[in-house]
PDB file of all heavy atoms in Angstrom:
ATOM      1  N   THR Z   1      13.558 -18.113  10.921  1.00  0.00           N
ATOM      2  CA  THR Z   1      13.559 -19.153   9.910  1.00  0.00           C
ATOM      3  C   THR Z   1      14.704 -18.917   8.926  1.00  0.00           C
ATOM      4  O   THR Z   1      15.468 -19.888   8.600  1.00  0.00           O
ATOM      5  CB  THR Z   1      12.242 -19.135   9.124  1.00  0.00           C
ATOM      6  OG1 THR Z   1      11.165 -19.427  10.014  1.00  0.00           O
ATOM      7  CG2 THR Z   1      12.222 -20.092   7.956  1.00  0.00           C
ATOM      8  N   ALA Z   2      14.863 -17.711   8.435  1.00  0.00           N
ATOM      9  CA  ALA Z   2      15.950 -17.401   7.471  1.00  0.00           C
ATOM     10  C   ALA Z   2      17.315 -17.715   8.095  1.00  0.00           C
ATOM     11  O   ALA Z   2      18.153 -18.311   7.379  1.00  0.00           O
ATOM     12  CB  ALA Z   2      15.856 -15.936   7.082  1.00  0.00           C
ATOM     13  N   ARG Z   3      17.527 -17.317   9.289  1.00  0.00           N
ATOM     14  CA  ARG Z   3      18.811 -17.551   9.956  1.00  0.00           C
ATOM     15  C   ARG Z   3      19.084 -19.037  10.170  1.00  0.00           C
ATOM     16  O   ARG Z   3      20.260 -19.471  10.002  1.00  0.00           O
ATOM     17  CB  ARG Z   3      18.950 -16.791  11.204  1.00  0.00           C
ATOM     18  CG  ARG Z   3      18.998 -15.238  10.947  1.00  0.00           C
ATOM     19  CD  ARG Z   3      18.956 -14.446  12.261  1.00  0.00           C
ATOM     20  NE  ARG Z   3      18.981 -13.029  11.954  1.00  0.00           N
ATOM     21  CZ  ARG Z   3      18.215 -12.136  12.524  1.00  0.00           C
ATOM     22  NH1 ARG Z   3      17.405 -12.487  13.495  1.00  0.00           N
ATOM     23  NH2 ARG Z   3      18.325 -10.837  12.198  1.00  0.00           N
ATOM     24  N   LEU Z   4      18.064 -19.806  10.552  1.00  0.00           N
ATOM     25  CA  LEU Z   4      18.258 -21.248  10.730  1.00  0.00           C
ATOM     26  C   LEU Z   4      18.486 -21.977   9.446  1.00  0.00           C
ATOM     27  O   LEU Z   4      19.228 -22.930   9.388  1.00  0.00           O
ATOM     28  CB  LEU Z   4      17.072 -21.807  11.481  1.00  0.00           C
ATOM     29  CG  LEU Z   4      17.002 -21.442  12.978  1.00  0.00           C
ATOM     30  CD1 LEU Z   4      15.624 -21.753  13.548  1.00  0.00           C
ATOM     31  CD2 LEU Z   4      18.100 -22.158  13.768  1.00  0.00           C
ATOM     32  N   VAL Z   5      17.825 -21.539   8.372  1.00  0.00           N
ATOM     33  CA  VAL Z   5      17.969 -22.219   7.079  1.00  0.00           C
ATOM     34  C   VAL Z   5      19.240 -21.761   6.344  1.00  0.00           C
ATOM     35  O   VAL Z   5      20.022 -22.602   5.919  1.00  0.00           O
ATOM     36  CB  VAL Z   5      16.720 -21.943   6.176  1.00  0.00           C
ATOM     37  CG1 VAL Z   5      16.923 -22.552   4.769  1.00  0.00           C
ATOM     38  CG2 VAL Z   5      15.471 -22.456   6.787  1.00  0.00           C
ATOM     39  N   PHE Z   6      19.468 -20.450   6.293  1.00  0.00           N
ATOM     40  CA  PHE Z   6      20.534 -19.931   5.429  1.00  0.00           C
ATOM     41  C   PHE Z   6      21.672 -19.257   6.206  1.00  0.00           C
ATOM     42  O   PHE Z   6      22.680 -18.869   5.605  1.00  0.00           O
ATOM     43  CB  PHE Z   6      19.942 -18.916   4.446  1.00  0.00           C
ATOM     44  CG  PHE Z   6      18.852 -19.545   3.605  1.00  0.00           C
ATOM     45  CD1 PHE Z   6      17.533 -19.132   3.827  1.00  0.00           C
ATOM     46  CD2 PHE Z   6      19.124 -20.446   2.625  1.00  0.00           C
ATOM     47  CE1 PHE Z   6      16.506 -19.657   3.030  1.00  0.00           C
ATOM     48  CE2 PHE Z   6      18.127 -21.004   1.846  1.00  0.00           C
ATOM     49  CZ  PHE Z   6      16.815 -20.604   2.077  1.00  0.00           C
ATOM     50  N   GLY Z   7      21.522 -19.150   7.513  1.00  0.00           N
ATOM     51  CA  GLY Z   7      22.616 -18.550   8.304  1.00  0.00           C
ATOM     52  C   GLY Z   7      22.639 -17.022   8.343  1.00  0.00           C
ATOM     53  O   GLY Z   7      23.502 -16.462   8.976  1.00  0.00           O
ATOM     54  N   ARG Z   8      21.685 -16.405   7.679  1.00  0.00           N
ATOM     55  CA  ARG Z   8      21.689 -14.949   7.604  1.00  0.00           C
ATOM     56  C   ARG Z   8      20.326 -14.451   7.106  1.00  0.00           C
ATOM     57  O   ARG Z   8      19.550 -15.203   6.505  1.00  0.00           O
ATOM     58  CB  ARG Z   8      22.789 -14.403   6.695  1.00  0.00           C
ATOM     59  CG  ARG Z   8      22.601 -14.804   5.213  1.00  0.00           C
ATOM     60  CD  ARG Z   8      23.797 -14.465   4.396  1.00  0.00           C
ATOM     61  NE  ARG Z   8      23.638 -14.631   2.973  1.00  0.00           N
ATOM     62  CZ  ARG Z   8      23.566 -15.727   2.321  1.00  0.00           C
ATOM     63  NH1 ARG Z   8      23.682 -16.884   2.964  1.00  0.00           N
ATOM     64  NH2 ARG Z   8      23.397 -15.741   1.011  1.00  0.00           N
ATOM     65  N   ALA Z   9      20.050 -13.178   7.312  1.00  0.00           N
ATOM     66  CA  ALA Z   9      18.821 -12.566   6.864  1.00  0.00           C
ATOM     67  C   ALA Z   9      18.982 -11.032   6.884  1.00  0.00           C
ATOM     68  O   ALA Z   9      19.545 -10.472   7.784  1.00  0.00           O
ATOM     69  CB  ALA Z   9      17.626 -12.979   7.726  1.00  0.00           C
ATOM     70  N   GLU Z  10      18.411 -10.424   5.866  1.00  0.00           N
ATOM     71  CA  GLU Z  10      18.290  -8.930   5.832  1.00  0.00           C
ATOM     72  C   GLU Z  10      16.793  -8.593   5.959  1.00  0.00           C
ATOM     73  O   GLU Z  10      16.003  -8.998   5.152  1.00  0.00           O
ATOM     74  CB  GLU Z  10      18.733  -8.381   4.467  1.00  0.00           C
ATOM     75  CG  GLU Z  10      20.189  -8.580   4.125  1.00  0.00           C
ATOM     76  CD  GLU Z  10      20.424  -8.073   2.707  1.00  0.00           C
ATOM     77  OE1 GLU Z  10      20.109  -6.896   2.406  1.00  0.00           O
ATOM     78  OE2 GLU Z  10      20.998  -8.849   1.925  1.00  0.00           O
ATOM     79  N   PRO Z  11      16.467  -7.942   7.063  1.00  0.00           N
ATOM     80  CA  PRO Z  11      15.005  -7.517   7.212  1.00  0.00           C
ATOM     81  C   PRO Z  11      14.609  -6.615   6.097  1.00  0.00           C
ATOM     82  O   PRO Z  11      15.338  -5.658   5.746  1.00  0.00           O
ATOM     83  CB  PRO Z  11      14.989  -6.834   8.578  1.00  0.00           C
ATOM     84  CG  PRO Z  11      16.302  -7.007   9.220  1.00  0.00           C
ATOM     85  CD  PRO Z  11      17.260  -7.418   8.139  1.00  0.00           C
ATOM     86  N   TRP Z  12      13.424  -6.867   5.546  1.00  0.00           N
ATOM     87  CA  TRP Z  12      12.856  -6.001   4.505  1.00  0.00           C
ATOM     88  C   TRP Z  12      11.385  -5.828   4.824  1.00  0.00           C
ATOM     89  O   TRP Z  12      10.582  -6.734   4.707  1.00  0.00           O
ATOM     90  CB  TRP Z  12      13.050  -6.608   3.136  1.00  0.00           C
ATOM     91  CG  TRP Z  12      12.793  -5.714   2.000  1.00  0.00           C
ATOM     92  CD1 TRP Z  12      12.800  -4.337   1.985  1.00  0.00           C
ATOM     93  CD2 TRP Z  12      12.496  -6.096   0.657  1.00  0.00           C
ATOM     94  NE1 TRP Z  12      12.534  -3.824   0.719  1.00  0.00           N
ATOM     95  CE2 TRP Z  12      12.354  -4.893  -0.119  1.00  0.00           C
ATOM     96  CE3 TRP Z  12      12.377  -7.295   0.012  1.00  0.00           C
ATOM     97  CZ2 TRP Z  12      12.036  -4.901  -1.459  1.00  0.00           C
ATOM     98  CZ3 TRP Z  12      12.102  -7.303  -1.358  1.00  0.00           C
ATOM     99  CH2 TRP Z  12      11.914  -6.134  -2.106  1.00  0.00           C
ATOM    100  N   GLU Z  13      11.049  -4.634   5.253  1.00  0.00           N
ATOM    101  CA  GLU Z  13       9.711  -4.354   5.844  1.00  0.00           C
ATOM    102  C   GLU Z  13       8.563  -4.761   4.882  1.00  0.00           C
ATOM    103  O   GLU Z  13       7.534  -5.239   5.330  1.00  0.00           O
ATOM    104  CB  GLU Z  13       9.640  -2.841   6.121  1.00  0.00           C
ATOM    105  CG  GLU Z  13       8.357  -2.541   6.856  1.00  0.00           C
ATOM    106  CD  GLU Z  13       8.562  -1.758   8.124  1.00  0.00           C
ATOM    107  OE1 GLU Z  13       9.691  -1.778   8.668  1.00  0.00           O
ATOM    108  OE2 GLU Z  13       7.627  -1.204   8.556  1.00  0.00           O
ATOM    109  N   VAL Z  14       8.770  -4.620   3.572  1.00  0.00           N
ATOM    110  CA  VAL Z  14       7.635  -4.884   2.643  1.00  0.00           C
ATOM    111  C   VAL Z  14       7.234  -6.378   2.663  1.00  0.00           C
ATOM    112  O   VAL Z  14       6.098  -6.687   2.264  1.00  0.00           O
ATOM    113  CB  VAL Z  14       7.957  -4.433   1.225  1.00  0.00           C
ATOM    114  CG1 VAL Z  14       8.164  -2.949   1.183  1.00  0.00           C
ATOM    115  CG2 VAL Z  14       9.155  -5.172   0.640  1.00  0.00           C
ATOM    116  N   LEU Z  15       8.116  -7.276   3.150  1.00  0.00           N
ATOM    117  CA  LEU Z  15       7.783  -8.667   3.136  1.00  0.00           C
ATOM    118  C   LEU Z  15       6.843  -9.089   4.298  1.00  0.00           C
ATOM    119  O   LEU Z  15       6.426 -10.220   4.363  1.00  0.00           O
ATOM    120  CB  LEU Z  15       9.069  -9.547   3.190  1.00  0.00           C
ATOM    121  CG  LEU Z  15       9.812  -9.573   1.839  1.00  0.00           C
ATOM    122  CD1 LEU Z  15      11.170 -10.317   2.070  1.00  0.00           C
ATOM    123  CD2 LEU Z  15       9.026 -10.216   0.776  1.00  0.00           C
ATOM    124  N   GLN Z  16       6.498  -8.139   5.179  1.00  0.00           N
ATOM    125  CA  GLN Z  16       5.598  -8.485   6.230  1.00  0.00           C
ATOM    126  C   GLN Z  16       4.130  -8.423   5.812  1.00  0.00           C
ATOM    127  O   GLN Z  16       3.256  -8.931   6.463  1.00  0.00           O
ATOM    128  CB  GLN Z  16       5.854  -7.683   7.508  1.00  0.00           C
ATOM    129  CG  GLN Z  16       5.426  -6.247   7.471  1.00  0.00           C
ATOM    130  CD  GLN Z  16       5.679  -5.566   8.764  1.00  0.00           C
ATOM    131  OE1 GLN Z  16       5.426  -6.126   9.840  1.00  0.00           O
ATOM    132  NE2 GLN Z  16       6.193  -4.368   8.704  1.00  0.00           N
ATOM    133  N   GLY Z  17       3.909  -7.815   4.648  1.00  0.00           N
ATOM    134  CA  GLY Z  17       2.553  -7.741   4.145  1.00  0.00           C
ATOM    135  C   GLY Z  17       1.617  -6.856   4.971  1.00  0.00           C
ATOM    136  O   GLY Z  17       2.084  -6.184   5.884  1.00  0.00           O
ATOM    137  N   ALA Z  18       0.338  -6.904   4.638  1.00  0.00           N
ATOM    138  CA  ALA Z  18      -0.691  -6.113   5.365  1.00  0.00           C
ATOM    139  C   ALA Z  18      -2.010  -6.800   5.175  1.00  0.00           C
ATOM    140  O   ALA Z  18      -2.742  -6.520   4.228  1.00  0.00           O
ATOM    141  CB  ALA Z  18      -0.711  -4.668   4.875  1.00  0.00           C
ATOM    142  N   LEU Z  19      -2.339  -7.729   6.042  1.00  0.00           N
ATOM    143  CA  LEU Z  19      -3.551  -8.561   5.903  1.00  0.00           C
ATOM    144  C   LEU Z  19      -4.828  -7.729   5.875  1.00  0.00           C
ATOM    145  O   LEU Z  19      -5.747  -7.984   5.105  1.00  0.00           O
ATOM    146  CB  LEU Z  19      -3.633  -9.556   7.033  1.00  0.00           C
ATOM    147  CG  LEU Z  19      -2.879 -10.842   6.825  1.00  0.00           C
ATOM    148  CD1 LEU Z  19      -3.016 -11.740   8.048  1.00  0.00           C
ATOM    149  CD2 LEU Z  19      -3.422 -11.606   5.611  1.00  0.00           C
ATOM    150  N   ARG Z  20      -4.920  -6.722   6.737  1.00  0.00           N
ATOM    151  CA  ARG Z  20      -6.170  -6.036   6.905  1.00  0.00           C
ATOM    152  C   ARG Z  20      -6.324  -4.780   6.101  1.00  0.00           C
ATOM    153  O   ARG Z  20      -7.301  -4.027   6.273  1.00  0.00           O
ATOM    154  CB  ARG Z  20      -6.381  -5.760   8.407  1.00  0.00           C
ATOM    155  CG  ARG Z  20      -6.536  -7.050   9.173  1.00  0.00           C
ATOM    156  CD  ARG Z  20      -6.636  -6.800  10.717  1.00  0.00           C
ATOM    157  NE  ARG Z  20      -6.730  -8.068  11.414  1.00  0.00           N
ATOM    158  CZ  ARG Z  20      -5.682  -8.747  11.847  1.00  0.00           C
ATOM    159  NH1 ARG Z  20      -4.463  -8.327  11.617  1.00  0.00           N
ATOM    160  NH2 ARG Z  20      -5.880  -9.879  12.508  1.00  0.00           N
ATOM    161  N   ASP Z  21      -5.352  -4.444   5.261  1.00  0.00           N
ATOM    162  CA  ASP Z  21      -5.386  -3.246   4.473  1.00  0.00           C
ATOM    163  C   ASP Z  21      -5.055  -3.565   3.004  1.00  0.00           C
ATOM    164  O   ASP Z  21      -3.879  -3.691   2.649  1.00  0.00           O
ATOM    165  CB  ASP Z  21      -4.391  -2.259   5.042  1.00  0.00           C
ATOM    166  CG  ASP Z  21      -4.417  -0.864   4.344  1.00  0.00           C
ATOM    167  OD1 ASP Z  21      -4.861  -0.782   3.169  1.00  0.00           O
ATOM    168  OD2 ASP Z  21      -4.006   0.119   4.994  1.00  0.00           O
ATOM    169  N   THR Z  22      -6.111  -3.792   2.228  1.00  0.00           N
ATOM    170  CA  THR Z  22      -5.932  -4.290   0.860  1.00  0.00           C
ATOM    171  C   THR Z  22      -5.117  -3.345  -0.007  1.00  0.00           C
ATOM    172  O   THR Z  22      -4.221  -3.787  -0.747  1.00  0.00           O
ATOM    173  CB  THR Z  22      -7.323  -4.483   0.195  1.00  0.00           C
ATOM    174  OG1 THR Z  22      -8.083  -5.366   1.017  1.00  0.00           O
ATOM    175  CG2 THR Z  22      -7.127  -5.119  -1.205  1.00  0.00           C
ATOM    176  N   GLU Z  23      -5.295  -2.050   0.129  1.00  0.00           N
ATOM    177  CA  GLU Z  23      -4.541  -1.097  -0.638  1.00  0.00           C
ATOM    178  C   GLU Z  23      -3.058  -1.107  -0.284  1.00  0.00           C
ATOM    179  O   GLU Z  23      -2.194  -1.164  -1.152  1.00  0.00           O
ATOM    180  CB  GLU Z  23      -5.100   0.337  -0.463  1.00  0.00           C
ATOM    181  CG  GLU Z  23      -4.425   1.378  -1.348  1.00  0.00           C
ATOM    182  CD  GLU Z  23      -5.025   2.775  -1.093  1.00  0.00           C
ATOM    183  OE1 GLU Z  23      -6.263   2.865  -1.008  1.00  0.00           O
ATOM    184  OE2 GLU Z  23      -4.209   3.714  -1.006  1.00  0.00           O
ATOM    185  N   LEU Z  24      -2.770  -1.102   0.984  1.00  0.00           N
ATOM    186  CA  LEU Z  24      -1.375  -1.196   1.463  1.00  0.00           C
ATOM    187  C   LEU Z  24      -0.767  -2.519   1.045  1.00  0.00           C
ATOM    188  O   LEU Z  24       0.420  -2.568   0.569  1.00  0.00           O
ATOM    189  CB  LEU Z  24      -1.305  -1.013   2.982  1.00  0.00           C
ATOM    190  CG  LEU Z  24       0.116  -1.195   3.604  1.00  0.00           C
ATOM    191  CD1 LEU Z  24       1.105  -0.160   3.011  1.00  0.00           C
ATOM    192  CD2 LEU Z  24       0.003  -1.064   5.130  1.00  0.00           C
ATOM    193  N   ARG Z  25      -1.515  -3.579   1.150  1.00  0.00           N
ATOM    194  CA  ARG Z  25      -1.026  -4.927   0.767  1.00  0.00           C
ATOM    195  C   ARG Z  25      -0.532  -4.932  -0.680  1.00  0.00           C
ATOM    196  O   ARG Z  25       0.520  -5.422  -0.970  1.00  0.00           O
ATOM    197  CB  ARG Z  25      -2.150  -5.918   1.006  1.00  0.00           C
ATOM    198  CG  ARG Z  25      -1.801  -7.369   0.741  1.00  0.00           C
ATOM    199  CD  ARG Z  25      -2.957  -8.230   1.154  1.00  0.00           C
ATOM    200  NE  ARG Z  25      -2.762  -9.574   0.824  1.00  0.00           N
ATOM    201  CZ  ARG Z  25      -3.483 -10.589   1.286  1.00  0.00           C
ATOM    202  NH1 ARG Z  25      -4.424 -10.376   2.141  1.00  0.00           N
ATOM    203  NH2 ARG Z  25      -3.230 -11.840   0.847  1.00  0.00           N
ATOM    204  N   GLN Z  26      -1.311  -4.337  -1.593  1.00  0.00           N
ATOM    205  CA  GLN Z  26      -0.956  -4.301  -2.973  1.00  0.00           C
ATOM    206  C   GLN Z  26       0.263  -3.395  -3.226  1.00  0.00           C
ATOM    207  O   GLN Z  26       1.103  -3.701  -4.021  1.00  0.00           O
ATOM    208  CB  GLN Z  26      -2.160  -3.848  -3.821  1.00  0.00           C
ATOM    209  CG  GLN Z  26      -3.303  -4.849  -3.844  1.00  0.00           C
ATOM    210  CD  GLN Z  26      -2.858  -6.263  -4.226  1.00  0.00           C
ATOM    211  OE1 GLN Z  26      -2.191  -6.465  -5.243  1.00  0.00           O
ATOM    212  NE2 GLN Z  26      -3.188  -7.242  -3.425  1.00  0.00           N
ATOM    213  N   ARG Z  27       0.288  -2.267  -2.500  1.00  0.00           N
ATOM    214  CA  ARG Z  27       1.449  -1.352  -2.662  1.00  0.00           C
ATOM    215  C   ARG Z  27       2.760  -2.013  -2.195  1.00  0.00           C
ATOM    216  O   ARG Z  27       3.810  -1.813  -2.783  1.00  0.00           O
ATOM    217  CB  ARG Z  27       1.218  -0.060  -1.822  1.00  0.00           C
ATOM    218  CG  ARG Z  27       0.697   1.050  -2.602  1.00  0.00           C
ATOM    219  CD  ARG Z  27       0.778   2.425  -1.930  1.00  0.00           C
ATOM    220  NE  ARG Z  27       0.875   2.443  -0.506  1.00  0.00           N
ATOM    221  CZ  ARG Z  27      -0.205   2.635   0.298  1.00  0.00           C
ATOM    222  NH1 ARG Z  27      -1.406   2.775  -0.165  1.00  0.00           N
ATOM    223  NH2 ARG Z  27      -0.046   2.640   1.659  1.00  0.00           N
ATOM    224  N   LEU Z  28       2.689  -2.799  -1.112  1.00  0.00           N
ATOM    225  CA  LEU Z  28       3.901  -3.446  -0.589  1.00  0.00           C
ATOM    226  C   LEU Z  28       4.403  -4.530  -1.525  1.00  0.00           C
ATOM    227  O   LEU Z  28       5.613  -4.825  -1.555  1.00  0.00           O
ATOM    228  CB  LEU Z  28       3.598  -4.100   0.775  1.00  0.00           C
ATOM    229  CG  LEU Z  28       3.326  -3.153   1.929  1.00  0.00           C
ATOM    230  CD1 LEU Z  28       2.904  -3.953   3.146  1.00  0.00           C
ATOM    231  CD2 LEU Z  28       4.564  -2.301   2.200  1.00  0.00           C
ATOM    232  N   LEU Z  29       3.551  -5.085  -2.386  1.00  0.00           N
ATOM    233  CA  LEU Z  29       3.969  -6.111  -3.316  1.00  0.00           C
ATOM    234  C   LEU Z  29       4.771  -5.536  -4.504  1.00  0.00           C
ATOM    235  O   LEU Z  29       5.559  -6.246  -5.116  1.00  0.00           O
ATOM    236  CB  LEU Z  29       2.770  -6.882  -3.874  1.00  0.00           C
ATOM    237  CG  LEU Z  29       2.026  -7.752  -2.874  1.00  0.00           C
ATOM    238  CD1 LEU Z  29       0.754  -8.303  -3.470  1.00  0.00           C
ATOM    239  CD2 LEU Z  29       2.936  -8.888  -2.379  1.00  0.00           C
ATOM    240  N   ILE Z  30       4.594  -4.254  -4.771  1.00  0.00           N
ATOM    241  CA  ILE Z  30       5.248  -3.657  -5.932  1.00  0.00           C
ATOM    242  C   ILE Z  30       6.778  -3.765  -5.872  1.00  0.00           C
ATOM    243  O   ILE Z  30       7.427  -4.274  -6.791  1.00  0.00           O
ATOM    244  CB  ILE Z  30       4.802  -2.160  -6.115  1.00  0.00           C
ATOM    245  CG1 ILE Z  30       3.318  -2.138  -6.510  1.00  0.00           C
ATOM    246  CG2 ILE Z  30       5.637  -1.482  -7.181  1.00  0.00           C
ATOM    247  CD1 ILE Z  30       2.670  -0.785  -6.459  1.00  0.00           C
ATOM    248  N   PRO Z  31       7.441  -3.341  -4.768  1.00  0.00           N
ATOM    249  CA  PRO Z  31       8.895  -3.486  -4.737  1.00  0.00           C
ATOM    250  C   PRO Z  31       9.356  -4.920  -4.698  1.00  0.00           C
ATOM    251  O   PRO Z  31      10.430  -5.229  -5.177  1.00  0.00           O
ATOM    252  CB  PRO Z  31       9.318  -2.688  -3.491  1.00  0.00           C
ATOM    253  CG  PRO Z  31       8.098  -2.593  -2.640  1.00  0.00           C
ATOM    254  CD  PRO Z  31       6.908  -2.637  -3.600  1.00  0.00           C
ATOM    255  N   VAL Z  32       8.549  -5.779  -4.126  1.00  0.00           N
ATOM    256  CA  VAL Z  32       8.905  -7.234  -4.079  1.00  0.00           C
ATOM    257  C   VAL Z  32       8.877  -7.805  -5.504  1.00  0.00           C
ATOM    258  O   VAL Z  32       9.871  -8.480  -5.906  1.00  0.00           O
ATOM    259  CB  VAL Z  32       7.970  -8.006  -3.169  1.00  0.00           C
ATOM    260  CG1 VAL Z  32       8.396  -9.502  -3.136  1.00  0.00           C
ATOM    261  CG2 VAL Z  32       7.987  -7.439  -1.748  1.00  0.00           C
ATOM    262  N   ARG Z  33       7.822  -7.523  -6.234  1.00  0.00           N
ATOM    263  CA  ARG Z  33       7.757  -7.990  -7.598  1.00  0.00           C
ATOM    264  C   ARG Z  33       8.845  -7.383  -8.479  1.00  0.00           C
ATOM    265  O   ARG Z  33       9.403  -8.076  -9.360  1.00  0.00           O
ATOM    266  CB  ARG Z  33       6.376  -7.728  -8.201  1.00  0.00           C
ATOM    267  CG  ARG Z  33       5.299  -8.603  -7.637  1.00  0.00           C
ATOM    268  CD  ARG Z  33       3.989  -8.377  -8.374  1.00  0.00           C
ATOM    269  NE  ARG Z  33       2.984  -9.341  -7.882  1.00  0.00           N
ATOM    270  CZ  ARG Z  33       1.824  -9.011  -7.363  1.00  0.00           C
ATOM    271  NH1 ARG Z  33       1.464  -7.758  -7.216  1.00  0.00           N
ATOM    272  NH2 ARG Z  33       0.998  -9.963  -6.933  1.00  0.00           N
ATOM    273  N   GLN Z  34       9.192  -6.151  -8.199  1.00  0.00           N
ATOM    274  CA  GLN Z  34      10.258  -5.498  -8.957  1.00  0.00           C
ATOM    275  C   GLN Z  34      11.584  -6.191  -8.656  1.00  0.00           C
ATOM    276  O   GLN Z  34      12.362  -6.482  -9.572  1.00  0.00           O
ATOM    277  CB  GLN Z  34      10.334  -4.052  -8.560  1.00  0.00           C
ATOM    278  CG  GLN Z  34      11.390  -3.261  -9.361  1.00  0.00           C
ATOM    279  CD  GLN Z  34      11.354  -1.789  -9.029  1.00  0.00           C
ATOM    280  OE1 GLN Z  34      10.476  -1.236  -8.279  1.00  0.00           O
ATOM    281  NE2 GLN Z  34      12.358  -1.044  -9.557  1.00  0.00           N
ATOM    282  N   ALA Z  35      11.886  -6.507  -7.401  1.00  0.00           N
ATOM    283  CA  ALA Z  35      13.118  -7.192  -7.034  1.00  0.00           C
ATOM    284  C   ALA Z  35      13.178  -8.540  -7.691  1.00  0.00           C
ATOM    285  O   ALA Z  35      14.225  -8.963  -8.196  1.00  0.00           O
ATOM    286  CB  ALA Z  35      13.264  -7.346  -5.522  1.00  0.00           C
ATOM    287  N   MET Z  36      12.045  -9.250  -7.693  1.00  0.00           N
ATOM    288  CA  MET Z  36      12.025 -10.581  -8.322  1.00  0.00           C
ATOM    289  C   MET Z  36      12.271 -10.474  -9.850  1.00  0.00           C
ATOM    290  O   MET Z  36      13.043 -11.208 -10.399  1.00  0.00           O
ATOM    291  CB  MET Z  36      10.668 -11.242  -8.052  1.00  0.00           C
ATOM    292  CG  MET Z  36      10.422 -11.650  -6.626  1.00  0.00           C
ATOM    293  SD  MET Z  36       8.726 -12.132  -6.240  1.00  0.00           S
ATOM    294  CE  MET Z  36       8.455 -13.466  -7.372  1.00  0.00           C
ATOM    295  N   GLY Z  37      11.654  -9.485 -10.454  1.00  0.00           N
ATOM    296  CA  GLY Z  37      11.757  -9.316 -11.925  1.00  0.00           C
ATOM    297  C   GLY Z  37      13.166  -8.881 -12.340  1.00  0.00           C
ATOM    298  O   GLY Z  37      13.610  -9.210 -13.432  1.00  0.00           O
ATOM    299  N   GLU Z  38      13.817  -8.143 -11.445  1.00  0.00           N
ATOM    300  CA  GLU Z  38      15.177  -7.618 -11.813  1.00  0.00           C
ATOM    301  C   GLU Z  38      16.275  -8.617 -11.461  1.00  0.00           C
ATOM    302  O   GLU Z  38      17.432  -8.461 -11.886  1.00  0.00           O
ATOM    303  CB  GLU Z  38      15.432  -6.297 -11.062  1.00  0.00           C
ATOM    304  CG  GLU Z  38      14.568  -5.179 -11.600  1.00  0.00           C
ATOM    305  CD  GLU Z  38      14.711  -3.911 -10.762  1.00  0.00           C
ATOM    306  OE1 GLU Z  38      15.404  -3.905  -9.688  1.00  0.00           O
ATOM    307  OE2 GLU Z  38      14.134  -2.887 -11.150  1.00  0.00           O
ATOM    308  N   HIS Z  39      15.938  -9.639 -10.669  1.00  0.00           N
ATOM    309  CA  HIS Z  39      16.983 -10.602 -10.233  1.00  0.00           C
ATOM    310  C   HIS Z  39      17.470 -11.461 -11.367  1.00  0.00           C
ATOM    311  O   HIS Z  39      16.734 -12.210 -11.986  1.00  0.00           O
ATOM    312  CB  HIS Z  39      16.429 -11.477  -9.086  1.00  0.00           C
ATOM    313  CG  HIS Z  39      17.453 -12.440  -8.590  1.00  0.00           C
ATOM    314  ND1 HIS Z  39      18.544 -12.065  -7.902  1.00  0.00           N
ATOM    315  CD2 HIS Z  39      17.506 -13.772  -8.767  1.00  0.00           C
ATOM    316  CE1 HIS Z  39      19.291 -13.120  -7.617  1.00  0.00           C
ATOM    317  NE2 HIS Z  39      18.660 -14.232  -8.127  1.00  0.00           N
ATOM    318  N   ARG Z  40      18.743 -11.337 -11.684  1.00  0.00           N
ATOM    319  CA  ARG Z  40      19.342 -12.111 -12.759  1.00  0.00           C
ATOM    320  C   ARG Z  40      20.635 -12.831 -12.321  1.00  0.00           C
ATOM    321  O   ARG Z  40      21.307 -13.366 -13.128  1.00  0.00           O
ATOM    322  CB  ARG Z  40      19.577 -11.194 -13.960  1.00  0.00           C
ATOM    323  CG  ARG Z  40      18.320 -10.804 -14.650  1.00  0.00           C
ATOM    324  CD  ARG Z  40      18.514  -9.869 -15.797  1.00  0.00           C
ATOM    325  NE  ARG Z  40      17.374  -9.619 -16.657  1.00  0.00           N
ATOM    326  CZ  ARG Z  40      16.212  -9.102 -16.231  1.00  0.00           C
ATOM    327  NH1 ARG Z  40      16.055  -8.789 -14.990  1.00  0.00           N
ATOM    328  NH2 ARG Z  40      15.260  -8.925 -17.072  1.00  0.00           N
ATOM    329  N   GLU Z  41      20.978 -12.659 -11.108  1.00  0.00           N
ATOM    330  CA  GLU Z  41      22.242 -13.244 -10.604  1.00  0.00           C
ATOM    331  C   GLU Z  41      22.200 -14.762 -10.633  1.00  0.00           C
ATOM    332  O   GLU Z  41      21.158 -15.367 -10.706  1.00  0.00           O
ATOM    333  CB  GLU Z  41      22.509 -12.734  -9.193  1.00  0.00           C
ATOM    334  CG  GLU Z  41      22.704 -11.252  -9.073  1.00  0.00           C
ATOM    335  CD  GLU Z  41      22.840 -10.775  -7.704  1.00  0.00           C
ATOM    336  OE1 GLU Z  41      23.220 -11.551  -6.802  1.00  0.00           O
ATOM    337  OE2 GLU Z  41      22.540  -9.601  -7.502  1.00  0.00           O
ATOM    338  N   ALA Z  42      23.387 -15.343 -10.602  1.00  0.00           N
ATOM    339  CA  ALA Z  42      23.520 -16.787 -10.686  1.00  0.00           C
ATOM    340  C   ALA Z  42      22.942 -17.493  -9.457  1.00  0.00           C
ATOM    341  O   ALA Z  42      22.291 -18.560  -9.561  1.00  0.00           O
ATOM    342  CB  ALA Z  42      24.974 -17.210 -10.836  1.00  0.00           C
TER     343      ALA Z  42
END
């Protein structure tokens, strides 16, 4: 999807989530939320 829409993609393991493991699922969201919160580029 990423390559067809934007022409490129960097795999990032935390974005695959963890449906069946609630604790892991919440832990994986931490770096994603951090990246979103720190993003200030144009």
